[in-house]
Amino acid sequence: MSDRAVTSTNRATILDGKAIAAEVTAEVAAETDASGLRPGLAVVLVGDDPASAVYVRNKTRSAERVGFYHVQHTLPADTSEAELIQLIDRLNADDRVDGILVQLPLPGHIGKERVLDRVLPQKDVDGFHPMNAGLLTWRRPCLVPCTPAGVMELLRRTGQNLRGEEAVIVGRSNIVGKPMIQLLEQADCTVTLAHSRTRDLATVVGRASVVVAAVGVPELVKGAWIRDGARVIDVGINRAPSGRLVGDVEFAAAAERAAFITPVPGGVGPMTIAMLMRNTLTAAKRRLP
Ligand code: NAD
């Protein structure tokens, strides 16, 4: 990890996701150049949600920067599910496209699962297809969901071994919490998945030397719960009543106890896009005859 990717506070080293994501993106650009391939990413946006438009723009810009072929399809909010599925089928058949990303959320009249299931698993660079989820569970080659993959990259770049560590994930969504179980288990952690029905979350989190918070509740995980020397990765992005962006972890108090911690914003967020670029390159390499 470069010096610029970490900043020390009194206690914790802050994992600078922006700097680490820039390193990953530069690696992907160099590997793309060396491969002689032109990986292709298709991004599909339905409707005019402003936050989704920003995410899509950032993904497209990043694809441009690493030298990928990229195409964006922006469809009106009243697009039917059948029309969207027709587009997915066209992209599945398009040889220039190695990765297809359908930006979520989709309008309410469209069945999200029917659309995501339609993306060919080998082009599913978001790693949301049940086939990829199953392959990940069995530790077989697959496309890993970008945010959990970004969390692992941040943990890897601490330079600390994960073997035998007590990891606690808070949140059991299909896109973050559940794939985190597999990835941390594959790194030889002992893994606990906590969720909204967990009794005494403070004690459960307090056992962990690795904490991954993916809840969506501002500062739910209190600094006082954090075990001394823990590695704390905060996936949450929440808008506080003041308008400020905050994570799922009480950052300042947690940083006094943790050894490593991610900020919000500027932690996991930028890693998600970097890992999308990496997944697209991986998909392109796997499609070679
Ligand atoms: P989700 O809403 O699908 O799942 C949240 C999970 O948190 C649920 O499984 C629920 O059981 C658990 N939970 C809710 N209240 C709880 C409580 N009081 N105690 C313990 N667990 C509780 O959320 P998600 O899609 O996994 O996203 C979680 C957060 O991560 C959100 O803030 C989201 O914006 C953010 N996120 C960030 C990125 C990124 O790129 N940085 C990517 C995905 C999600």
Side-chain angles (χ1 to χ4, degrees):
M1 182 165 48
S2 73
D3 291 344
R4 146 182 109 78
V6 288
T7 322
S8 287
T9 60
N10 279 349
R11 190 69 207 246
T13 296
I14 296 179
L15 290 165
D16 182 346
K18 231 172 139 181
I20 297 172
E23 288 175 17
V24 172
T25 306
E27 286 164 18
V28 171
E31 279 173 45
T32 300
D33 207 31
S35 72
L37 295 170
R38 183 125 204 258
L41 177 65
V43 180
V44 180
L45 173 64
V46 186
D48 43 22
D49 175 56
S52 293
V54 172
Y55 291 141
V56 161
R57 196 161 56 240
N58 289 342
K59 288 166 188 175
T60 308
R61 271 195 198 140
S62 195
E64 171 82 40
R65 224 174 289 137
V66 295
F68 290 176
Y69 164 76
H70 57 90
V71 58
Q72 181 178 328
H73 293 269
T74 306
L75 307 178
D78 62 358
T79 301
S80 70
E81 186 179 306
E83 286 169 320
L84 180 54
I85 284 181
Q86 276 170 17
L87 172 61
I88 304 287
D89 286 346
R90 282 207 303 280
L91 296 171
N92 280 338
D94 187 337
D95 262 348
R96 294 166 302 179
V97 172
D98 298 288
I100 302 169
L101 180 139
V102 181
Q103 184 64 45
L104 300 178
L106 288 170
H109 65 278
I110 296 180
K112 178 178 87 173
E113 289 179 358
R114 279 189 296 275
V115 170
L116 296 181
D117 288 2
R118 193 74 170 209
V119 174
L120 280 177
Q122 57 270 35
K123 293 194 178 190
D124 168 40
V125 282
D126 248 341
F128 291 171
H129 194 287
M131 172 82 88
N132 278 314
L135 291 170
L136 177 63
T137 305
W138 287 10
R139 212 188 264 219
R140 283 169 51 177
C142 64
L143 290 164
V144 177
C146 301
T147 301
V151 170
M152 294 309 291
E153 192 67 33
L154 288 167
L155 287 169
R156 197 172 72 72
R157 292 187 188 226
T158 62
Q160 313 259 304
N161 206 326
L162 287 167
R163 186 167 309 137
E165 297 295 328
E166 189 93 2
V168 170
I169 304 155
V170 191
R172 56 179 161 183
S173 69
N174 287 344
I175 63 172
V176 188
K178 287 206 194 100
M180 282 310 321
I181 304 176
Q182 321 301 339
L183 294 170
L184 288 164
E185 172 269 315
Q186 287 170 21
D188 293 327
C189 289
T190 302
V191 184
T192 300
L193 181 72
H195 47 76
S196 53
R197 300 287 182 268
T198 296
R199 275 191 220 110
D200 195 4
L201 188 60
T203 303
V204 174
V205 169
R207 284 204 302 265
S209 54
V210 176
V211 179
V212 178
V215 187
V217 177
E219 301 182 329
L220 174 87
V221 175
K222 304 300 170 210
W225 299 356
I226 301 297
R227 180 168 137 187
D228 257 349
R231 288 161 250 180
V232 179
I233 309 290
D234 191 350
V235 179
I237 305 176
N238 313 292
R239 185 75 61 186
S242 65
R244 200 167 56 92
L245 281 185
V246 296
D248 291 343
V249 178
E250 206 182 30
F251 178 82
E256 284 174 23
R257 305 171 72 102
F260 294 91
I261 190 165
T262 56
V264 176
V268 175
M271 294 301 293
T272 299
I273 295 183
M275 301 319 283
L276 175 68
M277 299 305 123
R278 177 163 283 172
N279 272 355
T280 305
L281 175 58
T282 301
K285 285 183 172 169
R286 290 208 184 123
R287 273 181 5 105
L288 285 176

